[in-house]
Amino acid sequence: MLASLRNIIEEVNSARSLPEVLEIIVREMKGALNAGVCSIYLFDRTDQRYVLMATDGLRRQAIGKIRLRMREGLVGLVAAKEEPLNLQNADKHPNFVYFPEADESPFHSFLGVPIIHHRKVLGVLVLQQTNERRFAQEEETFLVTIGAQLSGAIAHADETGVLSRLSAPRQGKSQEAIFQGIASSPGIGIGKTVLASVNTDLSQVPERNCDNVNMEVSSFNLALESAKHDMWKLGQGLKDKLSPEEFALFEVYIRLLDDPTLIGEVVGSINSGKAASSAWSSVILKHVKTFRKMEDKYLRERAADVLDLGKRVLAYLQQDDVTVRTMPKHAVLVGEDLAATILADIPVDHLAGIISLKGSSNSHLAIVARALGIPTVMGATTFPMAELLGKDVIVDGFKGAIITRPSRARRKHYLALRREEELLDRDLERLRDIPCITPDGEHIALFVNTGLRQDVMRSLKSGAEAVGLYRTEVPFFAHLGFPTEDEQVLIYKEQLHAFAPRKVTMRTLDIGGDKALPYFPIEEENPFLGWRGIRISLDHPEIFLVQIRAMLRASENNSNLKIMLPMISSIGELDGALQLVNRAYEELINEEHLCIEKPPIGAMIEVPAAVYQVDQLAKRVDFLSVGTNDLTQYLLAVDRNNPRVAGLYNSFHPSVLSALHLIHEQASNAECEVSICGELAGDPLGAVLLVGLGYRHLSMSAGCLSRVKSMLLQVPVRKARDLAERSIQIAGANEVMQFLAGELKNPNLIKLYHRSIE
Ligand code: PEP
Ligand code: MG
């Protein structure tokens, strides 16, 4: 059975459309289980019925005609009960309904299993047999497995409207479609989709067609020439260092790029209508596969060379796509798995929105997008990117929805919403220069999180009292290799100067997890539990020391630097990092005779282990800052980047609140300053909770600052304290949010900022 399962899945994976998938399943399942009938019923949302969509064994004329309500017939019963139904004498069951058009009369036994995706019943998979017998348990599990495999493809068809077109073929005309993803940066973006294509992962290149074959062929030729030239230059540069045999390899590479068979295949595919990048990627991946299967070890190893050349050419081809430099105004940037890196060299003021098929609202891209105020939907797994490139879309960053071909009424609604938001922002601008003092006279210091060059202006305008978190990895993204010490000095100086005399807390390099530098790839099974943050810095003191030296040198004439260490999970790590920081400082003072004030050094509390050692950590540093983004992911065991579990990721979880309470208590006992720099601080409801838990320094994206301030100006600390105490007692995160939204009277703000609560 396992072999049949594997075969069916392989066949299904190579199918090109949903009807083909359904046909394969009914045919193969009937054969594999030696049944009389295999059928699939799918839920049609338009008329709220389960419709027969494919069958092998019943009359084909019945397809599309048999339609059952929830609980109607055996199929409706399986759907309602959300569990398998295995009957020996189906025709004697009170729910049995006879459909003459299907001719079910000879079949007695019935096995139906629900097809469920994300807890929603999408359809029912049915097996029937003439003899009276219960299907075996193995057969039942087999059917359940197939149902689970099928559910993703059906959910996709459902969201893209393919399903309703299939079940009601005469509907014809293309209609408005709404794709659901994860709300990741609030706001309404209206614009044309543009492919973000700096990713040279060949398997991620979408299947696209081209409009102009000649243009596509010539950009392919140009990309080949450029890649060949690079190879030649690389070879010449290394000539002195290589043996003649090693040097000859470069010629082999160039010859590979000249190979007429390879070129012919790609050009043929372009001529058949494919975009050059899609054609090139498919051909290269096919060749890589062939090389990998070869007996000969030497030839097998050539797969890596072909792949590398493939990526080099792709990089040039993608420069030719609508990318970075030619980004039109009001563009909606779309990509399979966009990382924060992409924003480092894009004219972000051209962006109306961002859509990423992977990732979630806690991915770093989402955080940077929030800082820049770009409406963003992450984890839009069902968005058919390739079909919709260059098309008008609406990005609803409040609800995590993407709307294509909007109806007039919907467009009007969104335009009004955007206007409403603009007015609110303008209204909040007046708060800029007002200090954040609660009605009972407590000052709450509001800081800003930065990283991109572009958000310096925005941050300055936000009225922030300091930079609570400068993510230094962000400028590293935009470089071709690790920036030199001098280059880093310039970058850091710019930040320190721009904000002086306000303090700037620079966090040392925090790469790994979902933040990979293009020139320092880290491939791991479990990246968030792997080589990340301070762990990399301690393993590479040569990189870490250069960064610390650069920060210190940049602060020579500004005394507003603070240095912060990310991902500390043990005292040993902190001691090791502090030693290196001291070493860099001593060198600059004693050996290079620079006149630099020693900056305050702090540690981030973002790993559960650190929560329980706050007292010991606090003794060693000048300040602490809580990273609620990572703390939430590690406490709740929910990958912050995984859209499948995004619904479980919530910093309002009472356990997170208890941890925050504990951290604050220990830090105050140790008389150590403690702030918050995770996204919870930028949420008006979250900010109230944090104030209630005792925090007085909150650092957030620039775009959130005025909204948070507007809320805190209205909530006395004693009320915040009461709300925090009561929230910790509540059972779940959503209930905490509901409770706070009900208690805090700032209707406009909550309506716009937290539309998902409605
Ligand atoms: C955090 O984890 O809360 C944090 C501020 O750091 P980052 O989001 O960059 O991991
Ligand atoms: Mg973090």
Side-chain angles (χ1 to χ4, degrees):
M1 252 186 219
L2 201 61
S4 320
L5 181 64
R6 213 175 296 128
N7 286 344
I8 297 176
I9 291 170
E10 264 176 29
E11 261 207 73
V12 163
N13 286 345
S14 59
R16 304 195 74 84
S17 65
L18 183 68
E20 206 183 317
V21 167
L22 302 182
E23 283 303 319
I24 294 170
I25 293 199
V26 291
R27 187 184 67 230
E28 296 298 319
M29 289 295 288
K30 182 178 167 230
L33 296 180
N34 214 1
V37 176
C38 180
S39 314
I40 297 174
Y41 295 78
L42 297 182
F43 189 62
D44 180 354
R45 275 193 284 165
T46 358
D47 75 346
Q48 300 281 305
R49 294 235 184 347
Y50 288 90
V51 187
L52 177 68
M53 299 293 285
T55 183
D56 189 336
L58 297 182
R59 283 206 193 121
R60 292 188 64 80
Q61 293 92 311
I63 292 178
K65 302 229 171 64
I66 298 187
R67 293 174 168 261
L68 298 144
R69 281 189 303 272
M70 181 71 98
R71 296 196 170 274
E72 186 184 359
L74 296 174
V75 167
L77 189 63
V78 173
K81 293 182 78 170
E82 303 184 359
E83 60 184 9
L85 184 64
N86 192 348
L87 302 171
Q88 188 169 346
N89 283 308
D91 40 350
K92 305 224 164 62
H93 192 282
N95 257 58
F96 180 77
V97 184
Y98 176 66
F99 288 98
E101 61 268 51
D103 192 18
E104 285 184 295
S105 52
F107 304 109
H108 296 288
S109 47
F110 172 99
L111 170 61
V113 303
I115 302 168
I116 301 181
H117 186 74
H118 285 324
R119 306 183 188 183
K120 243 172 63 190
V121 181
L122 302 178
V124 178
L125 191 52
V126 174
L127 283 181
Q128 289 172 276
Q129 220 151 23
T130 41
N131 52 346
E132 293 182 11
R133 69 156 185 117
R134 263 177 75 85
F135 282 88
Q137 280 204 353
E138 293 74 30
E139 292 170 314
E140 195 176 307
T141 351
F142 188 41
L143 205 61
V144 170
T145 315
I146 290 289
Q149 290 283 341
L150 193 57
S151 65
I154 294 173
H156 184 263
D158 190 20
E159 289 196 25
T160 51
V162 170
L163 209 55
S164 50
R165 282 202 292 279
L166 283 176
S167 56
R170 266 165 291 128
Q171 238 168 293
K173 209 166 145 259
S174 64
Q175 296 166 322
E176 173 178 277
I178 301 180
F179 303 92
Q180 196 56 47
I182 298 161
S184 301
S185 172
I188 304 300
I190 303 179
K192 272 197 187 349
T193 55
V194 164
L195 181 67
S197 47
V198 292
N199 185 352
T200 53
D201 182 346
L202 292 143
S203 61
Q204 301 287 326
V205 176
E207 280 285 308
R208 281 199 305 127
N209 292 332
C210 67
D211 300 327
N212 185 332
V213 168
N214 291 341
M215 237 166 77
E216 215 68 6
V217 172
S218 57
S219 53
F220 172 55
N221 287 330
L222 210 68
L224 277 181
E225 284 312 312
S226 310
K228 276 193 284 185
H229 181 69
D230 286 350
M231 278 292 123
W232 179 83
K233 250 177 55 193
L234 208 63
Q236 293 303 315
L238 293 170
K239 204 169 182 176
D240 300 340
K241 299 185 185 76
L242 299 177
S243 68
E245 298 79 46
E246 287 163 341
F247 181 69
L249 262 182
F250 285 92
E251 281 167 15
V252 174
Y253 292 157
I254 293 173
R255 251 184 283 133
L256 254 170
L257 290 175
D258 269 332
D259 182 47
T261 327
L262 184 78
I263 297 174
E265 271 180 75
V266 179
V267 172
S269 171
I270 297 175
N271 282 334
S272 74
K274 269 200 181 179
S277 51
S278 312
W280 173 253
S281 307
S282 316
V283 170
I284 286 292
L285 286 175
K286 192 182 86 189
H287 283 275
V288 167
K289 222 169 166 179
T290 316
F291 272 107
R292 280 187 181 146
K293 278 193 193 145
M294 285 184 178
E295 292 279 307
D296 184 291
K297 186 167 176 283
Y298 173 81
L299 288 175
R300 241 183 4 250
E301 281 170 4
R302 298 286 67 78
D305 298 333
V306 177
L307 198 61
D308 180 64
L309 289 173
K311 287 180 178 182
R312 286 171 186 277
V313 175
L314 182 65
Y316 279 107
L317 281 174
Q318 297 199 324
Q319 276 180 13
D320 256 33
D321 281 341
V322 206
T323 53
V324 183
R325 270 161 290 276
T326 55
M327 181 83 59
K329 282 255 176 209
H330 311 297
V332 173
L333 193 68
V334 187
E336 171 83 22
D337 191 7
L338 293 181
T341 18
I342 186 89
L343 297 179
D345 49 8
I346 271 184
V348 284
D349 47 339
H350 284 205
L351 286 185
I354 300 175
I355 303 169
S356 177
L357 275 53
K358 293 193 179 151
S360 88
S361 62
N362 314 296
S363 308
H364 285 91
L365 170 73
I367 291 175
V368 180
R370 279 197 287 278
L372 295 169
I374 306 169
T376 299
V377 176
M378 306 284 294
T381 44
T382 56
F383 184 70
M385 176 170 77
E387 281 168 39
L388 293 172
L389 285 179
K391 300 281 189 303
D392 287 313
V393 296
I394 296 176
V395 179
D396 179 344
F398 293 110
K399 289 194 166 159
I402 305 150
I403 297 99
T404 58
R405 296 183 290 272
S407 63
R408 274 175 63 144
R410 180 128 17 220
R411 205 180 160 79
K412 219 168 127 196
H413 164 76
Y414 275 111
L415 285 169
L417 204 58
R418 195 170 64 176
R419 179 94 193 109
E420 194 185 321
E421 206 200 351
E422 281 163 7
L423 289 176
L424 178 67
D425 275 340
R426 212 168 301 154
D427 194 33
L428 291 176
E429 250 178 56
R430 74 192 153 79
L431 300 181
R432 206 190 91 157
D433 299 318
I434 299 175
C436 184
I437 297 183
T438 61
D440 46 357
E442 191 94 38
H443 172 233
I444 314 294
L446 300 187
F447 301 162
V448 72
N449 295 345
T450 64
L452 286 174
R453 251 190 166 168
Q454 292 102 325
D455 55 23
V456 170
M457 276 319 291
R458 217 176 134 85
S459 305
L460 283 169
K461 280 205 276 177
S462 70
E465 294 180 35
V467 174
L469 166 65
Y470 170 59
R471 291 184 166 94
T472 58
E473 56 278 3
V474 178
F476 276 56
F477 294 152
H479 273 250
L480 294 172
F482 281 106
T484 62
E485 186 175 316
D486 287 348
E487 281 171 333
Q488 290 188 51
V489 171
L490 289 180
I491 299 169
Y492 304 149
K493 240 188 193 153
E494 196 177 295
Q495 284 282 324
L496 293 172
H497 272 308
F499 291 98
R502 286 167 284 194
K503 296 277 182 203
V504 176
T505 303
M506 296 199 170
R507 180 175 71 183
T508 61
L509 201 59
D510 184 21
I511 50 172
D514 67 338
K515 290 181 287 191
L517 297 174
Y519 45 88
F520 191 68
I522 303 167
E523 300 234 336
E524 289 181 317
E525 288 275 325
N526 235 330
F528 278 112
L529 295 183
W531 209 36
R532 254 201 93 178
I534 202 70
R535 300 172 183 178
I536 298 180
S537 297
L538 289 172
D539 288 348
H540 280 283
E542 78 287 14
I543 297 172
F544 187 63
L545 284 167
V546 165
Q547 184 175 39
I548 300 291
R549 282 173 56 88
M551 286 179 180
L552 294 170
R553 281 178 53 203
S555 75
E556 202 179 354
N557 295 313
N558 302 288
S559 47
N560 57 339
L561 169 69
K562 287 169 93 173
I563 296 180
M564 182 157 77
L565 306 163
M567 278 290 292
I568 296 291
S569 60
S570 71
I571 303 293
E573 273 174 352
L574 178 60
D575 286 342
L578 290 175
Q579 261 172 27
L580 289 171
V581 173
N582 285 336
R583 196 169 112 194
Y585 181 71
E586 299 296 328
E587 273 170 20
L588 290 174
I589 301 292
N590 299 332
E591 294 166 25
E592 299 180 33
H593 309 293
L594 297 185
C595 186
I596 302 167
E597 228 175 81
K598 178 124 190 257
I601 314 288
M604 283 191 77
I605 306 293
E606 49 183 348
V607 176
V611 175
Y612 298 98
Q613 287 192 306
V614 166
D615 52 347
Q616 296 193 54
L617 295 168
K619 282 187 206 136
R620 292 165 160 82
V621 292
D622 302 303
F623 66 95
L624 295 169
S625 186
V626 189
T628 50
N629 308 336
D630 277 313
L631 188 58
T632 304
Q633 102 160 324
Y634 294 126
L635 269 180
L636 304 186
V638 178
D639 179 343
R640 64 193 266 186
N641 211 26
N642 182 346
R644 267 203 194 137
V645 288
L648 300 176
Y649 182 102
N650 194 327
S651 298
F652 288 86
H653 193 296
S655 304
V656 178
L657 305 183
S658 296
L660 290 168
H661 175 62
L662 181 62
I663 296 169
H664 188 266
E665 201 174 54
Q666 294 180 81
S668 330
N669 290 343
E671 291 182 11
C672 184
E673 176 197 308
V674 59
S675 59
I676 301 278
C677 63
E679 294 296 297
L680 187 62
D683 185 308
L685 302 182
V688 171
L689 273 184
L690 292 167
V691 168
L693 289 169
Y695 293 89
R696 296 292 176 267
H697 302 86
L698 308 179
S699 192
M700 63 203 73
S701 304
C704 304
L705 210 127
S706 54
R707 293 173 192 210
V708 165
K709 195 188 277 184
S710 148
M711 178 66 95
L712 295 182
L713 288 176
Q714 295 174 18
V715 185
V717 168
R718 56 175 188 289
K719 173 159 184 179
R721 206 176 289 136
D722 172 56
L723 292 176
E725 276 165 18
R726 287 162 67 193
S727 295
I728 289 188
Q729 306 304 323
I730 293 175
N734 288 329
E735 290 91 329
V736 171
M737 290 168 75
Q738 304 272 9
F739 162 68
L740 292 172
E743 291 287 322
L744 294 164
K745 302 280 172 279
N746 191 332
N748 264 342
L749 206 53
I750 294 175
K751 191 166 150 229
L752 265 180
Y753 198 80
H754 260 295
R755 296 174 66 85
S756 51
I757 290 180
E758 288 169 26

